[in-house]
Amino acid sequence: MSFDLERPWRLHRQVALRPEPFGALAYHFGNRRLSFLKTRKLLAVVQALGEHPTGRDACRSAGVGEDELTAYARALEALAASGMLVERESR
Amino acid sequence: MSQTVTRGKRLVDHFEIGLDAPICLTWELTYACNLACVHCLSSSGRRDPRELSTAECMTVIDELQRMQVFYVNIGGGEPTVRRDFWDLLDYATGHDVGVKFSTNGSRITAEVARRLAGSDYVDVQVSLDGATAPVNDAIRGAGSYATAIRAMERLAEAGMRNFKLSVVVTRNNVPQLDLFAAIADRYGAQLRLTRLRPSGRGADVWDALHPTAAQQRQLYDWLRERGERVLTGDSFFHLAAYGDPLPGLNLCGAGRVVCLIDPVGDVYACPFAIHDAFLAGNVRTAGGFTEVWRHSELFTRLRRPQTGGACSSCAHFDSCRGGCMAAKFFTGLALDGPDPECVLGHGESLLALRGSEPAPRPAADHSRAAVNHARRPAPACDESPLAGLEVIR
């Protein structure tokens, strides 16, 4: 399974984000999992997801370069696998 | 998380210098307990008359909300014996602070179980230290096995999923690991194993009850096999020196990412370190918990680079980090030396060399005087610093 950058995503409603110097902590109140967002840029991506038509657009808006996209997609995939991110209904 | 997104400092480096707020913290709401487990880490039994009032507890919760502490591990004592327990639970979850509380199960009625099953922001941890009544009740007291099982039945019946079955690993229950897993499965619970520390009354029984070297190896292999299905609250990071680390942060988070607030508002570096040497301050003083967490002299010191002392030349120091501070302290070992249960046996040989000087004693004893220590039962006090953290790596 890989993260589909062409789909619309958002943060799960039960996930809280706490910005930290290294990035952020993400806590899912539903499955009680804690995850670490290891860069501030990844935090910006995650916060932008809900406002953009695709994951790729969210990455771009947060300043993720083309060369970093694969790494960020992998990070987003891990977050999706733990239930932190969910796909939005496509319109 | 993909390692490729990591740059510069490792996460563990950030945690070692501390965060502006704890990742999670343990809050013992009361020293009162209807049981009297032989290994109780907080020497609980009698209520302390200086206990934080309901209003004071709510002030602490307000602070935790401002600090964005996602959840607290509430324990005791038996926290449900506080009359305002359910109000405080509602207050916390209503203020974005999730709660996981430990209980011996004695107050989990069918009605309480239904109520708990209905909340997304509350998790329950039922303590059981033997997979059979004789093994459990020898530690936690007569009838405590039946009580815990009945609580789990009620939680399962109410539809509560994935609550925790919490076990302190001892010499007597290592042979029962598979049985514990079966009990957890039966009730739709998740098994959580934590380490026996020589803290509180645990200091009195640690020599007799801590797992043998062979059992530690067995436990490590068993945990490795089960991976993230069994929680450990990062309890066994000293076992990382066997080879691969167990799931978790694998560091001592005391005063850096975790701490303890005790029933009278004292803030300690970790739940297993109730002693003046690890007392950072009190939530009742000006600036409250936030001030203690961010600026106390003790926590500032703990966040400075620590020396490995006798361990720094060991090839495994990077994996076990010298082990558990509380375990060393209460067995009378040096804080910058090996853990008493160092898997290479370095702790064991130091224990043998200890002189006649007694090890430091836990600060306060709230044990009931009438307690017959031959059959001391148990509170919900088996809390671990990183309790409940399911760290995704």
Side-chain angles (χ1 to χ4, degrees):
Chain A
M1 184 191 94
S2 65
F3 188 83
D4 192 342
L5 281 170
E6 312 313 325
R7 309 274 313 162
W9 295 85
R10 64 171 170 81
L11 196 62
H12 190 285
R13 288 196 176 82
Q14 281 182 291
V15 173
L17 295 171
R18 184 173 110 190
E20 293 289 345
F22 59 83
L25 297 173
Y27 183 69
H28 192 310
F29 283 96
N31 63 25
R32 301 190 178 91
R33 284 181 153 241
L34 179 79
S35 193
F36 304 108
L37 275 51
K38 291 181 182 170
T39 65
R40 276 296 180 119
K41 208 189 273 184
L42 180 58
L43 171 63
V45 172
V46 166
Q47 286 170 328
L49 280 174
E51 294 149 22
H52 289 84
T54 68
R56 187 182 296 276
D57 289 328
C59 286
R60 205 169 287 144
S61 81
V64 175
E66 285 300 317
D67 55 328
E68 300 174 303
L69 213 49
T70 315
Y72 274 80
R74 256 202 306 273
L76 293 169
E77 182 190 329
L79 289 171
S82 56
M84 301 276 177
L85 305 179
V86 289
E87 264 196 59
R88 286 192 332 248
E89 304 283 313
S90 15
R91 275 160 249 178
Chain B
M1 282 297 340
S2 163
Q3 290 301 318
T4 51
V5 183
T6 310
R7 300 230 175 71
K9 262 192 207 170
R10 297 171 306 158
L11 268 181
V12 66
D13 300 328
H14 285 281
F15 297 150
E16 285 190 338
I17 58 169
L19 301 177
D20 282 350
I23 293 181
C24 67
L25 66 89
T26 300
W27 187 0
E28 316 279 37
L29 274 185
T30 181
Y31 281 120
C33 190
N34 53 330
L35 298 186
C37 306
V38 297
H39 61 351
C40 180
L41 85 174
S42 54
S43 302
S44 285
R46 287 169 295 125
R47 181 180 168 274
D48 192 309
R50 299 166 301 159
E51 210 165 72
L52 296 179
S53 68
T54 307
E56 285 174 316
C57 288
M58 287 175 175
T59 303
V60 171
I61 293 168
D62 293 341
E63 273 197 83
L64 299 181
Q65 180 184 27
R66 281 195 297 272
M67 293 174 93
Q68 271 201 284
V69 173
F70 299 128
Y71 72 97
V72 288
N73 297 297
I74 288 183
E78 170 57 42
T80 61
V81 306
R82 264 188 80 125
R83 258 183 238 123
D84 57 3
F85 177 74
W86 305 106
D87 293 335
L88 291 174
L89 202 67
D90 288 343
Y91 190 82
T93 56
H95 287 78
D96 305 323
V97 179
V99 170
K100 184 168 76 168
F101 73 90
S102 293
T103 179
N104 56 38
S106 56
R107 303 218 167 185
I108 307 295
T109 60
E111 192 199 330
V112 164
R114 277 193 298 276
R115 186 175 167 176
L116 294 171
S119 171
D120 280 335
Y121 293 86
V122 180
D123 196 6
V124 187
Q125 196 157 281
V126 179
S127 301
L128 193 73
D129 295 329
T132 53
V135 172
N136 177 79
D137 291 5
I139 304 273
R140 306 183 59 82
S144 61
Y145 181 86
T147 301
I149 295 287
R150 196 166 52 240
M152 288 192 283
E153 276 168 9
R154 285 172 180 160
L155 289 168
E157 252 164 49
M160 178 102 185
R161 303 293 299 163
N162 280 320
F163 66 89
K164 310 297 178 288
L165 164 57
S166 190
V167 176
V168 176
V169 177
T170 66
R171 195 169 300 181
N172 301 344
N173 67 23
V174 170
Q176 300 187 315
L177 294 176
D178 288 333
L179 288 173
F180 282 119
I183 294 175
D185 285 347
R186 191 186 315 148
Y187 299 111
Q190 195 171 13
L191 180 59
R192 176 167 178 276
L193 300 181
T194 57
R195 184 178 177 192
L196 173 72
R197 271 45 168 238
S199 312
R201 285 194 295 269
D204 301 328
V205 295
W206 187 82
D207 283 336
L209 286 182
H210 79 90
T212 64
Q215 285 179 329
Q216 283 212 110
R217 179 74 218 200
Q218 187 190 337
L219 171 67
Y220 173 78
D221 292 337
W222 194 89
L223 286 170
R224 288 279 301 156
E225 209 174 289
R226 271 149 193 86
E228 299 193 354
R229 279 178 296 150
V230 174
L231 306 175
T232 63
D234 223 15
S235 214
F236 300 105
F237 68 91
H238 69 297
L239 301 183
Y242 277 131
D244 298 315
L246 297 164
L249 292 179
N250 283 290
L251 85 154
C252 166
R256 302 178 181 122
V257 297
V258 304
C259 71
L260 166 77
I261 302 176
D262 93 339
V264 302
D266 281 340
V267 180
Y268 293 93
C270 113
F272 299 100
I274 303 182
H275 187 281
D276 283 350
F278 304 105
L279 177 59
N282 189 290
V283 302
R284 280 170 165 146
T285 54
F289 172 71
T290 314
E291 176 68 22
V292 177
W293 175 263
R294 294 190 180 155
H295 303 298
S296 67
E297 190 272 327
L298 174 74
F299 286 179
T300 307
R301 181 151 43 84
L302 287 174
R303 291 165 194 170
R304 278 189 212 124
Q306 308 284 306
T307 59
C311 290
S312 46
S313 60
C314 177
H316 299 285
F317 181 64
D318 265 351
S319 44
C320 83
R321 316 292 296 168
C324 169
M325 189 174 74
K328 292 189 255 204
F329 184 76
F330 289 120
T331 50
L333 297 184
L335 293 187
D336 63 352
D339 187 286
E341 295 182 289
C342 162
V343 302
L344 300 177
H346 296 316
E348 219 172 326
S349 41
L350 286 173
L351 288 177
L353 290 173
R354 275 177 310 177
S356 52
E357 197 153 317
R361 296 294 301 171
D365 191 353
H366 295 84
S367 305
R368 271 173 272 128
V371 163
N372 169 6
H373 279 222
R375 53 153 292 274
R376 286 171 293 190
C381 57
D382 320 308
E383 214 31 273
S384 125
L386 288 177
L389 274 197
E390 295 173 51
V391 174
I392 301 159
R393 301 194 312 154

